[in-house]
Amino acid sequence: MTEIQALLLIKSILESADIHGIESFLSEDCEYMSTGRGIIGRNRNETIEFLSSMAESIKADNVPVTCKVMHITDVYEEDSLFHEGRHGLTVSYESGDNYVYMIFVDVNDEGLVDRIVSSQENYSIEYDDLRFGDDEREYAFITLPTTVKDWLTALSMWLETANVDVDDFYQYIDEDTRVVFQKGDAESITLESGLDVEDYFDQLMNQHFDAVPHIIRDEEDGLILTYGPMSAIATLNEEGGLALISIYIDTRDEDEVTDEVGYIEEDLTKETIIEDDLY
């Protein structure tokens, strides 16, 4: 796992307020450090415990979190922990314009995270456009996706980087996996075959919206992936496989957009489990 991949996974954890899957990419001696409070987690268990408390606090306060990948362009203090060119995340609450703190990670030779740093140090930064970066990185699933969050995290990373190991991604899509697509008020289109799903997502990946993917929680604590005017939800079958992805693209003008999000109405009860049961 690369530094960028680790940052994108932490991004999904904070935005969804769900630490599911974090154990698989932390080393046993991974520590969590804050520049203001010092070392908070001295090993993997303590780091997971602290991240879990962060997620629960975010969920309890129902505060939307947005993280963006950036890199340092200038350092103002000689004793700063990080230097020019280092990648990290900005973490914002309520609004994505002003961030509260930054997160950096150290990845060891085995591709595991052995340090997470929460920093409020003063740096000059620029946000990364990962889709068109010179250094292309492939994302391979660390473990088999088994939850809604797994799938939305993977889709988010795919859309954000426009670079995915196709064999690793599509091997988990079943022949019966469906995609329901709706644009504005137009009639919805349903892709019934997993092969059609592959073709569709190849096209979807080439749509460039002026926004990075963002995993949010709705009023019922479900997970939604937003990407510009597009929103997506995933539904699993009784065996935990990917049964359905519903995609909606809002075509209304910005001045007409409200907080309400439109979704495709379909009766899924015969083929899928209720999404509330997944959390």
Side-chain angles (χ1 to χ4, degrees), residues 35 43 67 79 81 92 99 125 128 139 164 166 173 178 268:
T35 56
N43 51 50
C67 302
D79 59 347
L81 282 177
S92 306
Y99 61 87
I125 65 170
D128 286 40
Y139 168 63
V164 66
V166 175
I173 292 183
R178 295 186 300 138
L268 306 175

Side-chain angles (χ1 to χ4, degrees), residues 174 176-179 235-238 240-245 271-272:
D174 299 327
D176 297 332
T177 300
R178 295 186 300 138
V179 170
T235 308
L236 307 185
N237 58 31
E238 293 181 355
L242 183 64
L244 173 75
I245 299 176
E271 301 179 68
T272 60

Side-chain angles (χ1 to χ4, degrees), residues 193-208:
S193 166
L195 295 178
D196 292 335
V197 171
E198 294 185 23
D199 293 337
Y200 176 76
F201 276 107
D202 286 341
Q203 299 177 47
L204 179 65
M205 198 170 67
N206 290 321
Q207 296 193 41
H208 307 307

Side-chain angles (χ1 to χ4, degrees), residues 32-40 81 101-102 117-121:
Y32 190 102
M33 173 186 174
S34 166
T35 56
R37 299 170 55 186
I39 296 178
I40 299 174
L81 282 177
Y101 60 94
M102 305 177 190
V117 179
S118 170
S119 173
Q120 291 182 312
E121 293 179 316

Side-chain angles (χ1 to χ4, degrees), residues 4-270:
I4 294 292
Q5 291 168 358
L7 290 171
L8 289 174
L9 287 168
I10 291 176
K11 172 184 185 294
S12 73
I13 286 171
L14 294 178
E15 289 179 347
S16 62
D18 181 357
I19 69 167
H20 170 82
I22 191 173
E23 297 90 345
S24 63
F25 67 92
L26 299 183
S27 67
E28 290 187 7
D29 57 353
C30 176
E31 67 177 23
Y32 190 102
M33 173 186 174
S34 166
T35 56
R37 299 170 55 186
I39 296 178
I40 299 174
R42 294 169 296 180
N43 51 50
R44 179 167 56 191
N45 289 339
E46 291 185 3
T47 296
I48 291 173
E49 183 178 351
F50 178 71
L51 289 173
S52 179
S53 67
M54 284 180 60
E56 290 302 318
S57 178
I58 292 171
K59 187 178 295 185
D61 294 340
N62 198 27
V63 176
V65 176
T66 301
C67 302
K68 295 182 180 180
V69 178
M70 56 77 185
H71 62 275
I72 297 173
T73 58
D74 199 3
V75 178
Y76 299 112
E77 299 176 7
E78 292 184 358
D79 59 347
S80 296
L81 282 177
F82 305 101
H83 303 285
E84 292 181 17
R86 184 65 183 263
H87 287 90
L89 291 177
T90 57
V91 182
S92 306
Y93 297 100
E94 300 289 354
S95 170
D97 296 331
N98 300 310
Y99 61 87
V100 180
Y101 60 94
M102 305 177 190
I103 286 183
F104 300 90
V105 296
D106 291 336
V107 178
N108 63 24
D109 293 338
E110 297 177 351
L112 297 175
V113 175
D114 55 16
R115 186 172 71 151
I116 302 173
V117 179
S118 170
S119 173
Q120 291 182 312
E121 293 179 316
N122 190 17
Y123 299 109
S124 179
I125 65 170
E126 287 183 3
Y127 289 106
D128 286 40
D129 187 348
L130 298 177
R131 292 185 63 92
F132 304 103
D134 294 332
D135 185 10
E136 293 186 353
R137 292 174 168 85
E138 291 184 337
Y139 168 63
F141 287 111
I142 297 173
T143 57
L144 170 69
T146 57
T147 68
V148 169
K149 178 170 177 271
D150 287 345
W151 276 105
L152 291 188
T153 297
L155 291 170
S156 174
M157 294 174 73
W158 186 12
L159 289 169
E160 190 152 10
T161 63
N163 193 2
V164 66
D165 187 323
V166 175
D167 291 335
D168 278 342
F169 183 83
Y170 286 132
Q171 70 174 312
Y172 300 121
I173 292 183
D174 299 327
E175 291 183 2
D176 297 332
T177 300
R178 295 186 300 138
V179 170
V180 177
F181 172 72
Q182 182 176 352
K183 189 172 184 179
D185 295 330
E187 185 176 354
S188 63
I189 299 172
T190 300
L191 305 177
E192 300 285 356
S193 166
L195 295 178
D196 292 335
V197 171
E198 294 185 23
D199 293 337
Y200 176 76
F201 276 107
D202 286 341
Q203 299 177 47
L204 179 65
M205 198 170 67
N206 290 321
Q207 296 193 41
H208 307 307
F209 300 124
D210 187 21
V212 296
H214 175 50
I215 298 175
I216 63 175
R217 288 163 286 121
D218 65 14
E219 64 277 6
E220 297 179 355
D221 282 336
L223 296 182
I224 303 170
L225 173 65
T226 64
Y227 177 42
M230 183 186 79
S231 56
I233 58 176
T235 308
L236 307 185
N237 58 31
E238 293 181 355
E239 289 75 34
L242 183 64
L244 173 75
I245 299 176
S246 296
I247 298 173
Y248 174 81
I249 294 183
D250 194 338
T251 59
R252 294 173 295 173
D253 294 332
E254 288 187 4
D255 57 352
E256 297 178 354
V257 175
T258 66
D259 291 334
E260 297 179 358
V261 181
Y263 291 107
I264 299 88
E265 296 291 338
E266 285 205 350
D267 183 7
L268 306 175
T269 54
K270 294 182 180 180

